[in-house]
Amino acid sequence: CYVSPKHYDLLFNDIGESKPAIMLNGRVVGTWALDKTNGQVSQALFQPLPAKQQKLIQYEIDIVRATLPPLGQLGDPDLFEQLRQPVVS
């Protein structure tokens, strides 16, 4: 994967931990975050992308949100264990 050095400060915090990354064709193009107060998944793109690529990213973000437990369970200590279970559709 590749991330431009000019975006390091947007992807990594002061001690080197990375935020959840949005990858597109082998490049990190932004980050995403879950708002635990309303259950929304937001994105922060490093630069504007063509509409087709933005739709693809939104589609994937919708899948991520659909796999998370209901909003009231986001603080559940067993959440990590729940997310490790295979998703069956």
Side-chain angles (χ1 to χ4, degrees), residues 43-88:
Q43 59 177 297
L45 298 176
F46 297 154
Q47 60 192 32
L49 296 174
K52 185 176 180 180
Q53 292 178 338
Q54 289 182 20
K55 279 186 172 184
L56 176 62
I57 290 169
Q58 187 58 53
Y59 174 79
E60 295 295 334
I61 285 175
D62 291 344
I63 290 172
V64 167
R65 181 60 192 111
T67 62
L68 293 173
L71 187 57
Q73 294 178 10
L74 288 175
D76 186 332
D78 294 325
L79 176 60
F80 180 74
E81 244 349 273
Q82 294 170 25
L83 293 177
R84 291 183 62 208
Q85 301 303 315
V87 176
V88 179

Side-chain angles (χ1 to χ4, degrees), residues 7-66:
H7 297 131
Y8 284 171
D9 62 333
L10 300 172
L11 182 62
F12 300 101
N13 68 15
D14 293 338
I15 62 171
E17 298 169 321
S18 71
K19 297 176 184 175
I22 298 173
M23 297 198 54
L24 183 67
N25 299 324
R27 299 179 67 88
V28 178
V29 297
T31 60
W32 65 273
L34 174 66
D35 184 333
K36 293 181 184 177
T37 62
N38 64 17
Q40 296 297 310
V41 177
S42 62
Q43 59 177 297
L45 298 176
F46 297 154
Q47 60 192 32
L49 296 174
K52 185 176 180 180
Q53 292 178 338
Q54 289 182 20
K55 279 186 172 184
L56 176 62
I57 290 169
Q58 187 58 53
Y59 174 79
E60 295 295 334
I61 285 175
D62 291 344
I63 290 172
V64 167
R65 181 60 192 111

